[in-house]
Amino acid sequence: MKEIMTNQKLLKMKSSIQSIHHAVQLIAFFSNSYLPHESDDSHTNFKWNPIEDRFMSQTVNMPGAPNISIDCNNLKVYFNLHDKEAYQIDLSKIKRKEELNEQINIGLNAINLDLSKYKEELHYELPSYIDLDTTDFKIDKASASHFAYLQNKAYEIIGIFQKQYESASSLKIWPHHFDHSTDIPFKNSDGEIDKIISIGLGIPDQYVDEPYFYVSHWLQEGRTQISETEKLPFGKWHSDGWLAAVFPHAELHTLEQENHIEVLYDFFAQAIAQSKRLISAS
């Protein structure tokens, strides 16, 4: 079924994604409080659960493997222990920050975690639309459902390419940029990583004002030029401040939904091939 994304729908989606981005900072707080810290902040990464449409924290290394998850469709926070839901918070019904803090304490206690260790600490800057002192978690449910759909497509298609490269990182979602991605590193003759291709699903930002799939690359030395790229079957090369192949959400949704994976595969395959050629020539 073909679907046209109107400007009004895109605005609703953007607003809903911003609320979801706010909500997943709870996962970052949880991870910063209970997981061993990594120098690159990778302990705050989380994953997508395509079966339940949830963002899942990493598990704490203790009996019961406690973790938390957030449902993308309704912004319910689940506190999980022994792979079972021990407590839940419906963020849409929270009116005050104090109420949220009280509910979090109840949830943490339900999964046997030390409440005194929980801290609202982040090591990165958040976009201006996130105010951690508020509890305004309003979403448009149709928009949230679309975003969950995109996360599922990202999980499926990025996972296909991630498995093609032995050196590729695991699929992850960063809480600050909120992109669902994997990195494919390449080593030079000295065995050092000097080039990386990144593929993922990004949210509206200063480069693209809607959700988008992307392929980008990084070089330790040198740079590539937009003039060295070729036309893609879908999407386009973006060069204003950042050289990357981008496939906007709205363009994807002008196509028949049953063909989305096939179309995304063609986009990623050709963009990755071009990126490999670009970084090899530099």
Side-chain angles (χ1 to χ4, degrees), residues 179-213:
D179 58 337
H180 190 165
S181 65
T182 185
D183 294 328
I184 307 169
F186 298 88
K187 295 181 179 180
N188 59 23
S189 57
D190 295 326
E192 300 173 337
I193 295 173
D194 65 345
K195 297 168 184 172
I196 298 174
I197 292 178
S198 299
I199 65 176
L201 167 67
I203 63 170
D205 56 24
Q206 69 270 37
Y207 303 115
V208 184
D209 198 35
E210 61 178 287
Y212 61 97
F213 294 89

Side-chain angles (χ1 to χ4, degrees), residues 15-264:
S15 177
S16 295
I17 290 172
Q18 291 175 350
S19 290
I20 297 168
H21 193 187
H22 182 181
V24 299
Q25 299 313 309
L26 297 178
I27 296 179
F29 293 148
F30 175 89
S31 302
N32 253 338
S33 300
Y34 298 107
L35 298 176
H37 285 205
E38 302 292 342
S39 60
D40 62 354
D41 257 3
S42 57
H43 60 285
T44 62
N45 289 342
F46 46 93
K47 296 184 178 182
W48 176 252
N49 178 336
I51 298 174
E52 298 176 307
D53 286 354
R54 294 186 190 180
F55 300 102
M56 307 283 300
S57 78
Q58 300 176 45
T59 59
V60 181
N61 186 21
M62 60 178 284
N67 66 87
I68 66 171
S69 56
I70 297 179
D71 191 314
C72 185
N73 296 291
N74 55 29
L75 290 194
K76 287 185 178 179
V77 185
Y78 297 91
F79 294 78
N80 310 302
L81 188 67
H82 297 292
D83 291 327
K84 295 181 180 179
E85 296 164 9
Y87 193 73
Q88 67 174 263
I89 303 172
D90 187 344
L91 292 178
S92 68
K93 295 181 179 179
I94 299 294
K95 304 300 182 184
R96 298 173 296 107
K97 183 62 180 292
E98 294 78 12
E99 180 185 358
L100 176 59
N101 292 339
E102 291 169 1
Q103 289 293 305
I104 288 173
N105 284 341
I106 295 172
L108 294 173
N109 187 62
I111 57 177
N112 301 330
L113 291 176
D114 183 348
L115 304 186
S116 67
K117 291 184 177 181
Y118 184 78
K119 300 288 190 301
E120 290 193 354
E121 294 180 355
L122 300 174
H123 302 129
Y124 50 84
E125 291 187 9
L126 288 168
S128 59
Y129 56 76
I130 296 180
D131 181 355
L132 296 174
D133 292 326
T134 71
T135 56
D136 186 14
F137 295 104
K138 294 178 182 177
I139 58 171
D140 172 70
K141 292 205 170 180
S143 298
S145 177
H146 275 300
F147 190 51
Y149 173 82
L150 291 177
Q151 294 293 341
N152 281 320
K153 295 301 106 177
Y155 180 88
E156 185 175 354
I157 194 66
I158 298 171
I160 290 173
F161 288 97
Q162 186 259 351
K163 291 179 176 65
Q164 293 180 10
Y165 294 89
E166 186 177 344
S167 63
S169 66
S170 59
L171 270 69
K172 57 188 179 297
I173 302 172
W174 290 90
H176 48 316
H177 297 306
F178 202 23
D179 58 337
H180 190 165
S181 65
T182 185
D183 294 328
I184 307 169
F186 298 88
K187 295 181 179 180
N188 59 23
S189 57
D190 295 326
E192 300 173 337
I193 295 173
D194 65 345
K195 297 168 184 172
I196 298 174
I197 292 178
S198 299
I199 65 176
L201 167 67
I203 63 170
D205 56 24
Q206 69 270 37
Y207 303 115
V208 184
D209 198 35
E210 61 178 287
Y212 61 97
F213 294 89
Y214 68 87
V215 176
S216 65
H217 47 266
W218 168 87
L219 297 87
Q220 189 175 54
E221 296 181 3
R223 57 181 301 179
T224 57
Q225 304 289 340
I226 186 69
S227 59
E228 299 170 326
T229 62
E230 300 173 3
K231 185 176 180 181
L232 296 163
F234 304 97
K236 63 181 181 180
W237 283 97
H238 172 95
S239 62
D240 186 6
W242 178 53
L243 181 58
V246 300
F247 191 0
H249 163 263
E251 182 181 342
L252 178 68
H253 277 76
T254 63
L255 307 171
E256 298 292 340
Q257 193 171 96
E258 55 266 29
N259 297 330
H260 282 182
I261 282 296
E262 180 181 344
V263 165
L264 285 168

